[in-house]
Amino acid sequence: MTDKILVLDFGGQYNQLIARRIREQQVYAEIKAYNKITVEEIIETGYKGVIFTGGPNSVYDSASPHYNPEILKAGIPLLGICYGAQLMAYMSDGEVKSAENSSEYGKTVVYAKNSKLFGNIPQQSVCWMSHTDFISKTPANFDIIAVTDKCPCAAMADEGRKLYAVQFHPEVTHTEYGRQLLHNFLFEICGCTASWKMDSFAESSVEHYKEKLKDKKVLMALSGGVDSSVAAFLLHRAIGHNLTCVFVDHGLLRKDEADLVEKTFKEKFDMNLIRVNAEERFLSSLKRITEPEQKRKIIGEEFIRVFEEESAKLGKIHVLAQGTIYPDVIESGLGSSAVIKSHHNVGGLPDIIAFDEIVEPLRDLFKDEVRRLGTQLGMPAELIWRQPFPGPGLAVRVIGEITREKLDILRIADEIFRQEIDATEYRKIASQYFAVLTDMHSVGVKGDDRTYGYVMALRSVSTDDFMTAEWTKLPSELLEKVSSRITNEIPQVARVVYDITSKPPATVEWE
Ligand code: XMP
């Protein structure tokens, strides 16, 4: 059995990074909200170690997340990070204090003593701090194993019980030896073996679903994007023609996209595919809606209703499959971090749906892992490397009310932008690029005439995992060409702007 680490989520924004860093060392990591798993379940599952994550709270706040102290006696190695470190101190008999003049933010020099956790790490190195509270008194049996100039306990350990805590964040790249520290925890302290690889994940997932879905009919929500395509491939491998993919053309797709998806899945891969043309239905329920979260919820709801209807036509299918991936779950606030956006395939689900079971085979994976899984499953590269496209489609790229006219304008601009980037080497640097139709009008001049038309925005980001992203530094000649083509070829557009905001603070999509 593959060794597993549990990342117990107390609501910090870096939590998904911890799981990534562990998986990069070929140990499988699972994230669970602190209130969704008990100590008994942790013991029963056989985790080799548990990590308490950071979180936005102070341990003394009445509303702050706490955990059953029995976990400290369970004999499982623990590592507390930031809030998780303070919580460990608080759960024993230590003390945590809050002092503005002790707060540290950013790169900080840490001085470490000999300990298993700091093995092969220099005595002095740079770590990433982000805290106001600090451990002011270490619990009995714990030794201080690192300090900084301001923080009297930057790390502590009860080596006998394999309990460790660090005030800083080993998961962020600014912590010079963060990778080594996690390596020490995984291999020297928890005794894990590096055996988690994508090929074993692919194989065991196919086996798992073969067994779990034996003789069941499954309806797959296929958008044609990377995630749902990989999920469809995996399930098709497991259950063959018991899988029916339903592809909803909601009228919010890019130019020619619906035809392309239909052709690829039907002709190339011999999958059961039903295409539903539902443009009318989606556009009429989106009429006069301008608020982004409301758009997302309406689209999510309509999707499910369409699936239900299709399933009824097929003679009742009990299982619905979706290509939800891990960042969708996190950003929809299903862990314990704040809701950023309701991704339509998660947060937008209505409460009552006519399926008995929902299957999400990629729920624990990050985007790059999904792509590796696709490669492992033998999917063609052009499908795997397609740019991500949001479930709500162009609805979140037309700001304000959605109309067919606006969608048509956007589709042309989007195609121009994508064509021009695709013709250059920048297609390899930019991870996702698209146009956004703002709801702003602006004055322009064409020939001798005054014009008053839309402001079109261009967005291009470069990123590995879409959790953070940088705006792509496209050359001005390229931008100039795109701008000139858009204003020439689309009379309704008066002005083109380029979005130079990274994520955070912006998100990739405008809504
Ligand atoms: P944001 O805008 O959240 O986007 O920074 C991160 C990545 O997710 C895509 N995205 C979505 N994907 N359903 C999806 O399947 C959605 O509702 C959704 N919203 C955003 C976005 O295109 C980017 O790649």
Side-chain angles (χ1 to χ4, degrees), residues 332-411:
S332 292
L334 296 193
S336 33
S337 24
V339 178
I340 311 290
K341 285 181 189 179
S342 301
H343 281 212
H344 92 264
N345 42 6
V346 189
L349 274 185
D351 295 337
I352 303 164
I353 52 171
F355 293 93
D356 303 334
E357 206 178 330
I358 292 190
V359 170
E360 297 174 318
L362 313 180
R363 201 182 162 82
D364 291 322
L365 301 186
F366 292 95
K367 194 85 184 183
D368 51 334
E369 294 175 328
V370 171
R371 290 194 159 124
R372 272 193 281 139
L373 175 62
T375 311
Q376 199 58 47
L377 290 167
M379 287 173 63
E382 70 267 18
L383 254 190
I384 294 171
W385 291 101
R386 284 190 74 184
Q387 288 185 41
F389 185 66
L394 300 183
V396 293
R397 295 180 182 172
V398 169
I399 311 305
E401 191 184 356
I402 298 158
T403 63
R404 191 171 284 118
E405 189 220 359
K406 285 184 182 173
L407 288 166
D408 288 339
I409 293 173
L410 176 60
R411 272 190 268 263

Coordinates of all heavy atoms in Angstrom, one line a residue, residues 332-411:
S332 N -13.7 26.8 -3.9 CA -15.1 26.9 -3.7 C -15.4 26.9 -2.2 O -16.5 26.9 -1.8 CB -15.8 25.7 -4.3 OG -15.8 25.9 -5.7
G333 N -14.3 26.9 -1.4 CA -14.5 27.0 0.1 C -15.0 25.7 0.7 O -15.6 25.7 1.7
L334 N -14.7 24.5 0.1 CA -15.1 23.3 0.7 C -14.1 22.7 1.7 O -14.4 21.9 2.5 CB -15.4 22.2 -0.4 CG -16.5 22.5 -1.4 CD1 -16.9 21.3 -2.2 CD2 -17.7 23.0 -0.6
G335 N -12.9 23.3 1.6 CA -12.0 23.0 2.7 C -12.3 23.9 3.8 O -13.5 24.2 4.0
S336 N -11.4 24.5 4.5 CA -11.8 25.5 5.5 C -11.3 26.9 5.1 O -11.4 27.8 5.9 CB -11.4 25.1 6.9 OG -10.2 24.4 6.9
S337 N -10.8 27.0 3.9 CA -10.4 28.4 3.5 C -11.5 29.2 2.9 O -12.6 28.6 2.6 CB -9.2 28.4 2.5 OG -9.1 27.2 1.8
A338 N -11.3 30.5 2.7 CA -12.4 31.4 2.3 C -12.9 31.1 0.9 O -12.1 30.6 0.0 CB -11.9 32.8 2.4
V339 N -14.2 31.4 0.6 CA -14.7 31.2 -0.8 C -14.1 32.3 -1.7 O -14.3 33.4 -1.4 CB -16.2 31.3 -0.8 CG1 -16.8 31.1 -2.2 CG2 -16.8 30.2 0.1
I340 N -13.5 31.9 -2.7 CA -13.0 32.9 -3.7 C -14.0 33.0 -4.8 O -14.5 34.0 -5.2 CB -11.6 32.5 -4.3 CG1 -10.6 32.1 -3.1 CG2 -11.0 33.6 -5.1 CD1 -10.1 33.2 -2.3
K341 N -14.3 31.8 -5.4 CA -15.3 31.7 -6.5 C -16.0 30.4 -6.3 O -15.4 29.4 -6.0 CB -14.6 31.7 -7.8 CG -14.1 33.0 -8.3 CD -13.5 32.9 -9.6 CE -12.8 34.2 -9.9 NZ -12.1 34.2 -11.2
S342 N -17.3 30.3 -6.7 CA -18.0 29.0 -6.8 C -17.7 28.4 -8.1 O -18.2 28.9 -9.1 CB -19.5 29.2 -6.7 OG -19.8 29.8 -5.5
H343 N -16.8 27.5 -8.2 CA -16.5 26.9 -9.5 C -17.8 26.0 -9.8 O -18.3 25.4 -8.9 CB -15.3 26.0 -9.5 CG -14.0 26.9 -9.6 ND1 -12.9 26.4 -10.2 CD2 -13.8 28.1 -9.3 CE1 -12.0 27.4 -10.2 NE2 -12.6 28.5 -9.7
H344 N -18.2 26.1 -11.1 CA -19.6 25.7 -11.3 C -19.8 24.2 -11.0 O -20.9 23.8 -10.6 CB -20.0 25.9 -12.8 CG -19.7 24.8 -13.7 ND1 -18.5 24.8 -14.4 CD2 -20.4 23.7 -13.9 CE1 -18.5 23.6 -15.1 NE2 -19.6 22.9 -14.8
N345 N -18.7 23.4 -11.1 CA -18.9 22.0 -10.9 C -18.8 21.6 -9.5 O -18.9 20.4 -9.1 CB -17.9 21.2 -11.8 CG -16.5 21.8 -11.7 OD1 -16.3 22.7 -11.0 ND2 -15.6 21.2 -12.5
V346 N -18.6 22.6 -8.6 CA -18.6 22.2 -7.1 C -19.6 23.1 -6.4 O -20.7 22.7 -6.0 CB -17.2 22.4 -6.5 CG1 -17.2 21.8 -5.1 CG2 -16.2 21.7 -7.4
G347 N -19.2 24.3 -6.2 CA -20.0 25.2 -5.3 C -21.4 25.5 -5.9 O -22.3 25.9 -5.3
G348 N -21.5 25.4 -7.3 CA -22.7 25.7 -7.9 C -23.7 24.6 -7.9 O -24.8 24.8 -8.5
L349 N -23.4 23.5 -7.4 CA -24.3 22.4 -7.4 C -25.5 22.7 -6.5 O -25.4 23.1 -5.4 CB -23.6 21.1 -6.7 CG -22.8 20.2 -7.6 CD1 -22.4 19.0 -6.9 CD2 -23.6 19.8 -8.8
P350 N -26.7 22.5 -7.0 CA -27.9 22.7 -6.2 C -27.9 21.6 -5.1 O -27.2 20.6 -5.2 CB -29.1 22.5 -7.2 CG -28.5 22.3 -8.5 CD -27.0 22.1 -8.4
D351 N -28.7 21.9 -4.1 CA -28.7 20.9 -2.9 C -29.3 19.6 -3.3 O -28.9 18.6 -2.8 CB -29.4 21.6 -1.7 CG -28.7 22.8 -1.2 OD1 -27.5 22.8 -1.5 OD2 -29.3 23.6 -0.6
I352 N -30.4 19.7 -4.1 CA -31.0 18.4 -4.4 C -30.8 18.0 -5.8 O -31.1 18.8 -6.7 CB -32.5 18.5 -4.1 CG1 -32.8 19.0 -2.7 CG2 -33.3 17.2 -4.5 CD1 -34.2 19.5 -2.5
I353 N -30.2 16.9 -6.0 CA -30.0 16.5 -7.4 C -30.5 15.1 -7.5 O -30.5 14.3 -6.6 CB -28.5 16.6 -7.9 CG1 -27.6 15.9 -6.9 CG2 -28.1 18.1 -8.0 CD1 -26.2 15.8 -7.4
A354 N -30.8 14.7 -8.8 CA -31.5 13.5 -8.9 C -30.5 12.3 -9.2 O -30.8 11.4 -9.9 CB -32.5 13.6 -10.1
F355 N -29.3 12.4 -8.7 CA -28.3 11.3 -8.8 C -28.0 10.8 -7.4 O -28.0 11.6 -6.4 CB -27.0 11.8 -9.5 CG -27.2 12.2 -10.9 CD1 -27.4 13.5 -11.3 CD2 -27.1 11.2 -11.9 CE1 -27.6 13.9 -12.6 CE2 -27.3 11.6 -13.2 CZ -27.5 12.9 -13.6
D356 N -27.8 9.5 -7.3 CA -27.6 9.0 -5.9 C -26.1 9.1 -5.6 O -25.8 9.1 -4.4 CB -27.9 7.5 -5.9 CG -29.3 7.2 -6.3 OD1 -30.1 8.1 -6.2 OD2 -29.6 6.1 -6.9
E357 N -25.3 9.3 -6.6 CA -23.9 9.2 -6.3 C -23.1 10.2 -7.2 O -23.5 10.3 -8.4 CB -23.4 7.8 -6.6 CG -22.2 7.4 -5.8 CD -21.9 5.9 -6.1 OE1 -22.8 5.1 -6.4 OE2 -20.7 5.6 -6.1
I358 N -22.1 10.9 -6.7 CA -21.3 11.7 -7.6 C -19.9 11.2 -7.5 O -19.4 10.9 -6.4 CB -21.3 13.2 -7.1 CG1 -22.7 13.7 -7.4 CG2 -20.3 14.0 -7.9 CD1 -22.8 15.2 -7.2
V359 N -19.3 11.0 -8.7 CA -17.9 10.4 -8.7 C -17.0 11.5 -9.3 O -17.3 12.1 -10.3 CB -17.9 9.2 -9.6 CG1 -16.5 8.8 -9.9 CG2 -18.7 8.1 -9.0
E360 N -15.9 11.8 -8.6 CA -15.0 12.9 -9.0 C -13.6 12.3 -8.9 O -12.9 12.5 -7.9 CB -15.1 14.1 -8.1 CG -16.5 14.7 -8.2 CD -16.7 15.9 -7.2 OE1 -16.3 15.8 -6.1 OE2 -17.3 16.9 -7.7
P361 N -13.1 11.6 -10.0 CA -11.9 10.9 -9.9 C -10.6 11.8 -9.8 O -9.6 11.3 -9.4 CB -11.8 10.1 -11.2 CG -13.0 10.4 -12.0 CD -13.8 11.4 -11.3
L362 N -10.8 13.1 -10.1 CA -9.6 13.9 -10.0 C -9.6 14.9 -8.9 O -8.8 15.8 -8.8 CB -9.5 14.7 -11.4 CG -9.7 14.0 -12.7 CD1 -9.5 14.9 -13.8 CD2 -8.6 12.8 -12.8
R363 N -10.5 14.7 -8.0 CA -10.8 15.6 -6.9 C -9.5 15.9 -6.0 O -9.5 17.0 -5.4 CB -11.8 15.0 -6.0 CG -12.5 15.9 -5.1 CD -13.5 15.2 -4.2 NE -13.9 16.1 -3.1 CZ -14.8 17.0 -3.2 NH1 -15.5 17.2 -4.3 NH2 -15.1 17.8 -2.2
D364 N -8.6 15.0 -6.0 CA -7.4 15.3 -5.2 C -6.2 15.8 -6.0 O -5.1 15.9 -5.4 CB -7.0 14.0 -4.4 CG -8.0 13.7 -3.3 OD1 -8.5 14.6 -2.7 OD2 -8.3 12.5 -3.2
L365 N -6.4 16.0 -7.3 CA -5.2 16.3 -8.1 C -5.1 17.8 -8.5 O -6.1 18.5 -8.6 CB -5.2 15.5 -9.4 CG -5.2 14.0 -9.2 CD1 -5.1 13.4 -10.6 CD2 -4.1 13.5 -8.4
F366 N -3.9 18.2 -8.7 CA -3.6 19.6 -9.2 C -3.6 19.5 -10.7 O -3.3 18.4 -11.3 CB -2.3 20.1 -8.6 CG -2.4 20.4 -7.2 CD1 -1.9 19.5 -6.2 CD2 -2.9 21.6 -6.7 CE1 -2.0 19.7 -4.9 CE2 -3.0 21.9 -5.4 CZ -2.5 20.9 -4.4
K367 N -3.7 20.7 -11.4 CA -3.7 20.7 -12.8 C -2.5 20.0 -13.5 O -2.7 19.2 -14.4 CB -3.7 22.1 -13.3 CG -4.1 22.3 -14.7 CD -5.6 22.4 -14.7 CE -6.2 22.5 -16.0 NZ -7.7 22.6 -15.8
D368 N -1.3 20.2 -13.0 CA -0.2 19.6 -13.7 C -0.2 18.1 -13.5 O 0.2 17.3 -14.3 CB 1.1 20.2 -13.2 CG 1.2 20.3 -11.7 OD1 0.2 20.3 -11.0 OD2 2.4 20.3 -11.2
E369 N -0.8 17.7 -12.3 CA -0.9 16.2 -12.1 C -1.9 15.6 -13.0 O -1.8 14.5 -13.4 CB -1.2 16.0 -10.6 CG -0.1 16.4 -9.6 CD -0.5 16.3 -8.2 OE1 -1.7 16.5 -7.8 OE2 0.4 16.0 -7.4
V370 N -3.0 16.4 -13.2 CA -4.0 15.9 -14.1 C -3.4 15.7 -15.5 O -3.7 14.7 -16.2 CB -5.2 16.9 -14.2 CG1 -6.2 16.5 -15.3 CG2 -5.9 17.0 -12.9
R371 N -2.6 16.6 -15.9 CA -2.0 16.5 -17.3 C -1.1 15.2 -17.3 O -1.0 14.5 -18.3 CB -1.2 17.7 -17.6 CG -2.1 18.9 -17.9 CD -1.4 20.0 -18.6 NE -2.4 20.9 -19.3 CZ -2.5 22.2 -19.0 NH1 -1.7 22.8 -18.2 NH2 -3.4 22.9 -19.7
R372 N -0.3 15.0 -16.2 CA 0.6 13.8 -16.2 C -0.3 12.6 -16.2 O 0.1 11.6 -16.8 CB 1.5 13.9 -14.9 CG 2.7 14.6 -15.2 CD 3.8 14.4 -14.1 NE 3.4 15.3 -13.0 CZ 3.5 14.9 -11.7 NH1 3.9 13.7 -11.4 NH2 3.2 15.7 -10.8
L373 N -1.4 12.6 -15.5 CA -2.3 11.4 -15.5 C -2.8 11.2 -16.9 O -2.8 10.0 -17.4 CB -3.5 11.7 -14.6 CG -4.6 10.6 -14.5 CD1 -4.0 9.3 -14.0 CD2 -5.7 11.0 -13.6
G374 N -3.2 12.2 -17.6 CA -3.7 12.1 -19.0 C -2.6 11.5 -19.9 O -2.9 10.5 -20.7
T375 N -1.4 11.9 -19.7 CA -0.3 11.3 -20.5 C -0.1 9.8 -20.2 O 0.0 9.0 -21.1 CB 1.1 12.0 -20.2 OG1 0.8 13.4 -20.2 CG2 2.2 11.6 -21.1
Q376 N -0.2 9.5 -18.9 CA -0.1 8.2 -18.5 C -1.2 7.3 -19.0 O -1.0 6.1 -19.4 CB -0.2 8.2 -16.9 CG 0.3 7.0 -16.2 CD 1.8 6.7 -16.6 OE1 2.6 7.6 -16.5 NE2 2.1 5.5 -17.0
L377 N -2.4 7.9 -19.2 CA -3.5 7.1 -19.8 C -3.5 7.0 -21.3 O -4.3 6.5 -21.9 CB -4.8 7.8 -19.4 CG -5.2 7.7 -17.9 CD1 -6.4 8.6 -17.6 CD2 -5.6 6.3 -17.5
G378 N -2.4 7.7 -21.9 CA -2.3 7.6 -23.3 C -3.1 8.6 -24.1 O -3.4 8.3 -25.3
M379 N -3.5 9.7 -23.5 CA -4.3 10.7 -24.2 C -3.4 11.5 -25.2 O -2.2 11.7 -24.9 CB -5.0 11.6 -23.2 CG -6.1 11.0 -22.5 SD -6.7 12.1 -21.2 CE -7.3 13.5 -22.2
P380 N -4.0 11.9 -26.3 CA -3.1 12.7 -27.2 C -2.8 14.1 -26.6 O -3.5 14.7 -25.9 CB -4.1 12.9 -28.4 CG -5.4 12.5 -28.0 CD -5.3 11.7 -26.8
A381 N -1.5 14.5 -27.0 CA -1.0 15.7 -26.4 C -1.8 16.9 -26.6 O -2.0 17.8 -25.8 CB 0.4 15.9 -26.9
E382 N -2.5 17.0 -27.8 CA -3.2 18.3 -28.1 C -4.4 18.4 -27.2 O -4.9 19.5 -26.9 CB -3.6 18.4 -29.6 CG -4.7 17.4 -30.1 CD -4.1 16.2 -30.7 OE1 -2.9 15.9 -30.4 OE2 -4.8 15.5 -31.4
L383 N -4.9 17.3 -26.6 CA -6.0 17.4 -25.7 C -5.5 17.7 -24.3 O -6.1 18.5 -23.6 CB -6.7 16.0 -25.6 CG -8.1 15.9 -26.2 CD1 -8.7 14.5 -25.8 CD2 -9.0 17.0 -25.8
I384 N -4.4 17.1 -23.9 CA -3.8 17.3 -22.6 C -3.3 18.8 -22.4 O -3.4 19.3 -21.3 CB -2.7 16.4 -22.4 CG1 -3.2 14.9 -22.3 CG2 -1.9 16.7 -21.1 CD1 -2.1 13.9 -22.3
W385 N -2.8 19.3 -23.5 CA -2.2 20.7 -23.3 C -3.1 21.8 -23.8 O -2.7 22.9 -23.9 CB -0.9 20.7 -24.1 CG 0.1 19.9 -23.3 CD1 0.5 18.6 -23.6 CD2 0.7 20.2 -22.1 NE1 1.3 18.1 -22.7 CE2 1.5 19.0 -21.7 CE3 0.7 21.3 -21.2 CZ2 2.2 19.0 -20.5 CZ3 1.4 21.2 -20.0 CH2 2.1 20.1 -19.7
R386 N -4.4 21.4 -23.9 CA -5.4 22.5 -24.2 C -5.4 23.5 -23.0 O -5.2 23.0 -21.9 CB -6.8 21.9 -24.3 CG -7.0 21.2 -25.6 CD -8.5 20.9 -25.8 NE -9.2 22.1 -26.1 CZ -10.5 22.2 -26.2 NH1 -11.2 21.1 -26.1 NH2 -11.1 23.3 -26.5
Q387 N -5.7 24.7 -23.3 CA -5.8 25.7 -22.2 C -7.0 25.3 -21.4 O -8.0 24.9 -21.9 CB -6.0 27.1 -22.8 CG -4.8 27.6 -23.4 CD -5.1 29.1 -23.8 OE1 -5.7 29.8 -23.1 NE2 -4.6 29.4 -25.0
P388 N -6.9 25.6 -20.1 CA -8.1 25.4 -19.3 C -9.2 26.4 -19.7 O -8.9 27.5 -20.2 CB -7.7 25.7 -17.9 CG -6.3 26.3 -17.9 CD -5.8 26.1 -19.3
F389 N -10.4 25.9 -19.6 CA -11.5 26.8 -20.0 C -12.6 26.6 -18.9 O -12.9 25.5 -18.5 CB -12.1 26.4 -21.3 CG -13.2 27.3 -21.8 CD1 -12.9 28.6 -22.2 CD2 -14.5 26.8 -22.0 CE1 -13.9 29.5 -22.7 CE2 -15.5 27.7 -22.5 CZ -15.2 29.0 -22.8
P390 N -13.0 27.7 -18.3 CA -13.9 27.6 -17.1 C -15.3 27.0 -17.5 O -15.8 27.2 -18.6 CB -14.1 29.0 -16.6 CG -13.8 29.9 -17.8 CD -12.8 29.1 -18.6
G391 N -15.8 26.2 -16.6 CA -17.2 25.6 -16.8 C -18.2 26.6 -17.2 O -19.0 26.4 -18.2
P392 N -18.3 27.8 -16.5 CA -19.3 28.8 -16.9 C -18.9 29.5 -18.2 O -19.7 30.4 -18.7 CB -19.3 29.8 -15.8 CG -18.5 29.2 -14.7 CD -17.6 28.2 -15.3
G393 N -17.8 29.1 -18.8 CA -17.5 29.6 -20.2 C -17.4 31.1 -20.3 O -17.0 31.8 -19.4
L394 N -17.8 31.6 -21.4 CA -17.7 33.0 -21.7 C -18.6 33.9 -20.8 O -18.5 35.1 -20.8 CB -18.0 33.3 -23.2 CG -17.1 32.6 -24.2 CD1 -17.5 33.0 -25.6 CD2 -15.7 32.8 -24.0
A395 N -19.5 33.2 -20.0 CA -20.3 34.0 -19.1 C -19.5 34.8 -18.1 O -19.9 35.8 -17.7 CB -21.3 33.1 -18.4
V396 N -18.3 34.2 -17.7 CA -17.5 35.0 -16.8 C -16.5 35.8 -17.5 O -15.6 36.4 -16.9 CB -16.8 34.0 -15.8 CG1 -17.9 33.4 -14.8 CG2 -16.0 32.9 -16.4
R397 N -16.6 35.9 -18.8 CA -15.7 36.8 -19.6 C -16.5 37.9 -20.3 O -15.9 38.7 -21.0 CB -14.9 36.0 -20.6 CG -14.0 35.0 -19.9 CD -13.2 34.1 -20.9 NE -12.3 33.2 -20.2 CZ -11.7 32.2 -20.8 NH1 -11.7 32.1 -22.1 NH2 -10.9 31.4 -20.0
V398 N -17.8 37.8 -20.2 CA -18.6 39.0 -20.6 C -19.0 39.6 -19.3 O -19.8 39.1 -18.5 CB -19.9 38.5 -21.4 CG1 -20.8 39.7 -21.5 CG2 -19.5 38.0 -22.7
I399 N -18.5 40.8 -19.0 CA -18.8 41.4 -17.7 C -20.1 42.1 -17.8 O -20.5 42.7 -18.8 CB -17.7 42.5 -17.4 CG1 -16.3 41.9 -17.6 CG2 -17.9 43.1 -16.0 CD1 -16.0 40.7 -16.8
G400 N -20.9 41.9 -16.8 CA -22.3 42.5 -16.8 C -23.2 41.5 -17.5 O -23.0 40.3 -17.6
E401 N -24.3 42.1 -18.0 CA -25.3 41.2 -18.6 C -24.8 40.5 -19.9 O -24.1 41.1 -20.7 CB -26.6 42.1 -18.9 CG -27.7 41.1 -19.3 CD -29.0 41.9 -19.7 OE1 -29.0 43.1 -19.7 OE2 -30.0 41.1 -20.1
I402 N -25.3 39.3 -20.0 CA -24.8 38.5 -21.2 C -25.9 38.5 -22.3 O -27.1 38.3 -22.0 CB -24.6 37.0 -20.7 CG1 -23.5 37.0 -19.7 CG2 -24.2 36.1 -21.9 CD1 -23.6 35.7 -18.8
T403 N -25.4 38.9 -23.5 CA -26.4 38.8 -24.6 C -25.7 38.1 -25.7 O -24.4 37.9 -25.7 CB -26.7 40.2 -25.1 OG1 -25.5 40.8 -25.6 CG2 -27.4 41.1 -24.1
R404 N -26.4 37.6 -26.7 CA -25.8 36.8 -27.8 C -24.9 37.8 -28.6 O -23.8 37.4 -29.0 CB -26.9 36.2 -28.7 CG -26.3 35.3 -29.7 CD -27.3 34.5 -30.4 NE -27.9 33.4 -29.7 CZ -29.2 33.4 -29.4 NH1 -30.1 34.3 -29.8 NH2 -29.7 32.4 -28.7
E405 N -25.3 39.0 -28.7 CA -24.5 40.0 -29.5 C -23.1 40.1 -28.8 O -22.0 40.0 -29.5 CB -25.2 41.3 -29.6 CG -24.4 42.3 -30.5 CD -24.4 43.7 -30.0 OE1 -24.9 44.0 -29.0 OE2 -23.8 44.5 -30.8
K406 N -23.1 40.3 -27.5 CA -21.8 40.4 -26.8 C -21.0 39.2 -26.9 O -19.8 39.3 -27.1 CB -22.1 40.7 -25.3 CG -22.6 42.1 -25.0 CD -22.7 42.3 -23.5 CE -23.2 43.6 -23.1 NZ -23.5 43.6 -21.6
L407 N -21.6 38.0 -26.8 CA -20.9 36.8 -26.9 C -20.2 36.7 -28.3 O -19.1 36.2 -28.4 CB -21.8 35.6 -26.7 CG -22.3 35.4 -25.3 CD1 -23.5 34.4 -25.2 CD2 -21.2 34.9 -24.4
D408 N -21.0 37.0 -29.3 CA -20.4 37.0 -30.7 C -19.2 37.9 -30.9 O -18.2 37.5 -31.5 CB -21.5 37.3 -31.7 CG -22.5 36.1 -31.8 OD1 -22.1 35.0 -31.4 OD2 -23.6 36.4 -32.3
I409 N -19.3 39.1 -30.3 CA -18.2 40.0 -30.4 C -17.0 39.4 -29.7 O -15.9 39.4 -30.2 CB -18.6 41.4 -29.7 CG1 -19.7 42.1 -30.6 CG2 -17.4 42.3 -29.6 CD1 -20.2 43.3 -29.9
L410 N -17.2 38.9 -28.5 CA -16.1 38.4 -27.7 C -15.5 37.2 -28.4 O -14.3 37.1 -28.4 CB -16.7 37.9 -26.3 CG -15.6 37.2 -25.4 CD1 -14.4 38.1 -25.2 CD2 -16.2 36.8 -24.1
R411 N -16.3 36.3 -29.0 CA -15.7 35.1 -29.7 C -14.7 35.5 -30.8 O -13.7 34.9 -31.0 CB -16.9 34.3 -30.3 CG -17.4 33.3 -29.3 CD -18.4 32.3 -30.0 NE -19.7 32.8 -29.9 CZ -20.6 32.4 -29.0 NH1 -20.2 31.4 -28.1 NH2 -21.8 32.8 -29.0

